Amino acid sequence: MHSTGRDSGHPGGRPDRGAPRAFPADGPLVGRRVDLDRIDLFLDGVPRRGGPLLLLGEPGVGKTALLAAAASRAEDRGMHVLAVVGAEYRAGVSHGGLGQLVEAVARAGSSSVPADVLGVAAGSGRSRGASSESEAVADAVADLLGRLARDRPTLLVVDDVHWLDPASARVFGGVARRLAGRGVGMLCAGRDGSEGCFELGGLPVHDVVPLSDAASEDLLGQRFPALAPRVRGRLMAAAQGNPLALLELPVALSGPQRSAAAALPERLPLGRRLQAAFASRVTGLPAATRYLLLLAALDGTGDLHVLRRATAGRIALKSLDPAERAQLIRVDEPSGLTFRHPLTRSAVVELSTSSERRSAHRALAQAWQEAPERQAWYLAQAAEAPDEEVAVLLERAAAVLARRGDGPAAVAALLRAAELTPPGPERARRLAEVAYTGANITGDMRDVPRLLHDARHMASAAGPPAMATAVAGAAYLLNGSGDIDTAHRLLCDAIALRPEPGDPADPADPADPADTTLTEALHTLLLVCFFGGRPELWPAFDTALAAYPVPPHLLTTTRATFADPARATPSHLTELDTSIARLPQESDPLHIVRVATAAAYVDRLDRCAEGLHRVVAGGRRGEHVTPAIEALFLLGNQAWLTGQWTEMGRLALEGLDLCERYRYPMLAWVGRYLLACTAAARGDHRATRELTDRMQQWAGPRRASTVRVYAAHARTLSALGQGDFETAYREATLITRPGTLARYAPHALWTLMDLVDAAVRTGRHRQARDHADAARNAGLHALSPRLAMLVHASAALAAADDDRHPGFQEALAVPGNERWPFDLARIHLYQGERLRRGGARAEAGPHLTAAAELFHRLGAAPWAARTNQELRACGIPAPAGPRAGTAVLTPQQREIAHLAAAGLTNKRIAERLSLSPRTVSTHLYQLFPKIGVTSRAGLRDALERLDRQSRSSSPPDALPDARPDAPPDAPPHGQGDYVG
């Protein structure tokens, strides 16, 4: 290697411009502030004390990069820098490392290398025995370095000490213990557990640990800015903070794979440098050890009993000892076997041959006979040709995995089953199943078009293959482009050609493919009809459902309570309650979401919350993204109705972030609907208008009438808050005509009191009475306590000439009415208004005060203002609400705002501030309205404005309501401006 010197301009002389740097640096280091601080501290002590420091870490963790940074810093301090590098291919050259040092000293301009050292380095020294020779040479080298340091401080940098030849390693180990007080520092780097002949005992050690998640994301963002988020996440999980892996794994991927346009391979290719780093210690292991490691790598459970069964006792587990001594694995009898780094596991597999892998998979299939789904996977991996028997086993295993919530594993199993199926209708059906599972469970939409193309190419003109392809295509159209009519036509045509279904399969057993496909077709068709929101779409669904000898219970229940709850019967509610009661034992995320969907309009979401939170947790782990999106919005819907509006905003924004990342525009409108309703209730009418305008523009050409209903509901609330009752009436009657509860219009239940209020305020008393009567006659009060409140209150509202109608008191007497504070506050307000206008001001006061407190707590500003006006009319002072124009950010909110303005994602902000990403999202949701912005793009200007106001000590401009839970204006692109 070489050295560099510094002469004038630094203490001791001028720099030698002709010498190259010892370790050329490759740009600034990311995430190494702690390590660099430790190196600076060490370098600062070299002139006074000298001595050694050893950097230890796993392969590829960045030790060489730190040595390069240390050499550069040392040169900037005016030090001599001498460099030696151990290399595996030179490890057999005696005193090769010492020879590098001699050459470096010579380049440093010193001609006083002791003859003994020169002779030993050249291989001509007198042999006095290894030990005595090493000690003598170490003394001589230490003296040499000390003399060099009299000119200026000197740093000896030794990389890869584990690859030094044994003789040099002993010398350098002796030198490290002789440098104290000589003005010489020795900075070494080596791998954990692989120090070779270099003695570590007694040397100060600094552990170089993997990068944090935030630093890993920074590094990938700088070097590979075009990586898709899901690809970045997969690479970060594989690299585990290893910088070399972060830089090398993307290089081995194709352009489409980096952008997520093509699927990533099951096992990421390592590339040459990673193979060199992680495979080198594997290749030297005994054959029995490598075979056990291959079994463990392919199995992934770490269960030692599996290894015993797979080898049938032919290989003792003590054969793992060499791998454990090399610190490749940890073995503990209770805990099992774990690889110290996931890329070591990849290296073990990559170094094996295809025949070795097939043999290992066959052995593992024997070891997992008691777990059919795992056994099927191993048999599939061992198969060399199409095998229908294995494909059937694998398809059954996929069904089990899907019910357990492991969507990616189910997709992998289905795809392998299709590969093992001969070309024809069965392969087409299985390919379509993969596409459907990707669209409806894993959120993996990118491969759906290709899979559907392949399935159509192989499918026959009729029968189950056409049905499966239609289901997958319709799910893709619904979740993707929102093409309602094409999805409806695809499904109806396929269902018309179906074979007669048999009895519904036992959920505990694998279902017959034809019946399962028809069930999924009907679930998909139900959603298509719901989002279409038009009565003419439903007859085809009802005809297909009626063809079942015994229709699946959940389908019939959902058809009643979700599609047309005004006509749900007590038996439907009983069946729904039974399904909800079973949710604690349910693991299938799709089933949990479907039960909760059936519960939404009849106010039973609170009893589904635990299951929905489990689904969300699985989605955050990447197991089933699509159900997680739906679960987030269902939980958000419950939070909206129960007045937890800040929580609602957080849930909606998280769901919208997933919709953006995984391209689910249809589902995104549910989240935006929730944001629009909250904005309307809080008086953020501009945000409501922006969101609902976008709903209308998107829904119109797609004939997605339910999205237009979402817009009408939010606009109704906004108009009521502004006192524009004519507009409120017009918007509410777009959902259902007054005096009727339209078929297939479930939102009519939620806008019942809105329509009656608007009708009364516009003098349409007959329409108000007709609508209240229709709700009572339909038995809505029997569906849920909340609906009972609305039915009673609507009846009282409609009786405009009756100041003391019992309906208000009946509504306020409903048990648990405090669970719905916005509805409760409105009923108190209506009762107080009626009493005040009838002259009973004393009786009105408590109702108006209760309403004002609830509205203020919720942040429902226009409703609070309306209530305060009534209180003043009664001669009662209005409670003091938050003052406008006093928006103040907490120090933490200000720091989050500045980081978000600088472009950091929520995850990176959370890492930097030791918060959770959800906490960051909540803070952003709270601070946006405080500073009057609707997107991250406006943060920088708003913060500068606040800083100017602070410096001038003048009051800030009038800003939106400064309540800590006030909502932001909705950004033009939904979630994207709120979450990172």
Side-chain angles (χ1 to χ4, degrees), residues 45-106:
V46 167
R48 300 188 305 277
R49 299 184 299 273
L53 177 64
L54 180 62
L55 307 181
L56 285 183
E58 66 187 25
V61 79
K63 303 181 296 295
T64 298
L66 287 169
L67 291 183
S72 175
R73 283 165 145 75
E75 290 166 351
D76 290 341
R77 286 170 165 81
M79 295 183 182
H80 285 298
V81 178
L82 311 174
V84 175
V85 177
E88 185 177 10
Y89 69 90
R90 290 199 302 256
V93 180
S94 181
H95 292 103
L98 184 59
Q100 290 184 59
L101 177 60
V102 170
E103 292 175 9
V105 171

Side-chain angles (χ1 to χ4, degrees), residues 23-40 42-43 53-58 60-74 155 157-159 187-189 206-211 243:
F23 287 84
D26 185 21
L29 297 181
V30 175
R32 289 302 183 196
R33 185 72 267 155
V34 171
D35 306 287
L36 292 172
D37 286 347
R38 178 65 182 91
I39 287 171
D40 282 337
F42 168 72
L43 293 176
L53 177 64
L54 180 62
L55 307 181
L56 285 183
E58 66 187 25
V61 79
K63 303 181 296 295
T64 298
L66 287 169
L67 291 183
S72 175
R73 283 165 145 75
L155 177 68
V157 180
V158 186
D159 198 7
L187 187 62
C188 307
H206 174 73
D207 290 314
V208 182
V209 300
L211 297 176

